[in-house]
Amino acid sequence: MFHKTKVAVAAFAASTILASAALSADLVINFDDPNPGPKKGFEDAVAKFSAENPDINVIVNINDREAHKTAIRNFLSADAPDVTSWYPGNRMGPFVDAGLFEDVSDLWEEQGFGETLSAIKPTMTRDGKQWGVPYTYYQWGIYYRKDIFDNLGIEEPTTWDELLAASAKLKENGVTPFTIGTKFLWTAAGVFDYLNLRTNGYDVHNALTAGEIKYTDPRIKATFEKWQELVEPGYFIENHATMSWQDAVAPFANGEAAMYVMGNFSVDAYKNAGLTYDQIDYFQFPEITPGLPRAEEAPADAFFIPSGAKNKEDARKFLAFVARPDVQTEWNATIGQLPINSEATAGDDKFIQEGFATVSTAAGLAQFYDRDAPAEMAKAGMEGFQEFMIKPDRLDKILERLDKIQARVYK
């Protein structure tokens, strides 16, 4: 069950009749993150929207992400809210195709989102139409122990050869180059995505996740060959399949490992583990194929209007509101992420600034393997990635198996 909160929106008049008249419409919003920062960012935004729209009674239902993922198809079909949080790319595809999300292309046109939200427009688009409005995104890359690098005289790598050399030097000095926790699989997908983006580029990433090229394709095999150059020398922490991404922070914090391929949401975990800003830093995943346009992982979160919504007029007002530059500036400052609106201001945190420089200069923005690929393919693919990291000699069997699953999923 969702936890329900009602937000007062009308200034109470002396008369009960006047007060009830002011509350002319309910707007029901389902949100998917009860963690303190995201919850506060959302509730602050709702309070601001309510103050600006005193005739709208906003009712918010908040649940955790995994429960939201499980419940969304049911509530879209049976008792749709007016607005729900969800994800762009292929994750919105099944609901678009099933007619469960409302086309909001007219809102994009009316509000000029094609310009102000242009960075994310391709992943909000399906069948030439836009289906939601994004409010935040965040960069991925390599977070590293700057103090360890400095002590060993290692510079931030910008090329694959430099990354391998840095890894070798760390290993020689008793430090595992990379921490990772693959228990829940998606962290391995982050490594795969970057290796593929840097080896083959954005178009190949999209072609693979769209089922247009096989996993046994020589280009994808080349991605795994690069990965093998990190796996075979033991550059990843041992026993990673037993650890969540949070568990994998501990070796990073205690100095057993020096790098982490991860999203910016992880910075709080590093600080909570006792690391200071002076000890940690960030660099973009290094170049592999010289001259290849640099694409980045930058997953976005968005709001959608269910086709079964009862109050679509006010739902559109809310979507327009969350896209405003002032709203995105304040919201993302609270949650420590990046605003998508090009007229918004990124926070002054050093990782936010580095992230903004990373995504704003990228040639393309991927939504992450398990968002860009259909759910069944993503699950099988990520299981294969984890298996490869443990038993790289099984690569050919893994890729052949993924081809068979791909043929079934995309038929």
Side-chain angles (χ1 to χ4, degrees), residues 128-150:
K129 301 172 183 176
Q130 288 72 55
W131 299 93
V133 170
Y135 66 97
T136 185
Y137 66 158
Y138 54 91
Q139 82 279 9
W140 272 63
I142 298 181
Y143 293 82
Y144 72 101
R145 286 290 301 270
K146 187 176 187 305
D147 53 344
I148 295 175
F149 272 48
D150 288 348

Side-chain angles (χ1 to χ4, degrees), residues 166-194:
S167 297
K169 189 164 189 178
L170 287 163
K171 188 79 172 175
E172 288 166 9
N173 284 274
V175 179
T176 301
F178 289 94
T179 190
I180 191 171
T182 65
K183 182 178 179 179
F184 298 110
L185 303 178
W186 55 267
T187 50
V191 176
F192 170 78
D193 273 352
Y194 265 115

Side-chain angles (χ1 to χ4, degrees), residues 120 137-143 186-198 202 205-206 209 261-265 282 284-285 294-300 338 355 358-360 362-372 382 385:
I120 214 69
Y137 66 158
Y138 54 91
Q139 82 279 9
W140 272 63
I142 298 181
Y143 293 82
W186 55 267
T187 50
V191 176
F192 170 78
D193 273 352
Y194 265 115
L195 289 166
N196 193 30
L197 288 168
R198 294 293 184 265
Y202 186 60
H205 165 90
N206 289 331
T209 55
V261 180
M262 185 48 64
N264 193 59
F265 59 83
Y282 164 90
Q284 297 167 3
F285 200 98
R294 177 177 55 81
E296 297 291 340
E297 296 266 69
L338 292 166
T358 295
V359 299
S360 64
L365 298 176
Q367 278 298 294
F368 207 75
Y369 178 83
D370 72 344
R371 295 192 185 188
D372 284 339
M382 292 187 297
F385 301 157

Side-chain angles (χ1 to χ4, degrees), residues 11 30 33 41 54 151 172 188 227 253 260 269 279 300 317 370 378 396 404:
N30 286 5
D33 198 337
N151 288 341
E172 288 166 9
W227 203 347
Y260 204 171
Q279 291 177 286
K317 286 184 182 178
D370 72 344
D396 288 340
K404 291 178 182 177

Side-chain angles (χ1 to χ4, degrees), residues 277-335:
Y277 263 30
D278 291 338
Q279 291 177 286
I280 49 178
D281 211 337
Y282 164 90
F283 60 89
Q284 297 167 3
F285 200 98
E287 181 182 75
I288 295 178
T289 300
L292 193 68
R294 177 177 55 81
E296 297 291 340
E297 296 266 69
D301 293 327
F303 286 102
F304 298 81
I305 301 174
S307 55
K310 299 178 182 66
N311 187 0
K312 294 180 182 179
E313 180 181 352
D314 291 333
R316 286 170 180 268
K317 286 184 182 178
F318 185 76
L319 263 63
F321 169 84
V322 301
R324 277 178 13 197
D326 61 316
V327 174
Q328 292 208 354
T329 295
E330 294 167 7
W331 197 329
N332 283 279
T334 299
I335 63 178

Side-chain angles (χ1 to χ4, degrees), residues 15-30:
S15 162
T16 303
I17 296 174
L18 287 176
S20 60
L23 297 173
S24 60
D26 285 343
L27 178 68
V28 181
I29 305 172
N30 286 5

Side-chain angles (χ1 to χ4, degrees), residues 204-260:
V204 170
H205 165 90
N206 289 331
L208 179 70
T209 55
E212 295 167 2
I213 60 175
K214 293 183 176 183
Y215 284 80
T216 52
D217 185 288
R219 292 166 291 184
I220 305 305
K221 197 159 186 180
T223 295
F224 280 93
E225 288 167 358
K226 289 298 180 187
W227 203 347
Q228 206 151 1
E229 293 179 34
L230 299 177
V231 171
E232 288 197 337
Y235 290 165
F236 287 99
I237 198 101
E238 293 182 357
N239 302 318
H240 54 78
T242 67
M243 297 190 290
S244 69
W245 80 264
Q246 294 99 326
D247 296 332
V249 171
F252 187 69
N254 65 26
E256 290 179 47
M259 292 181 282
Y260 204 171

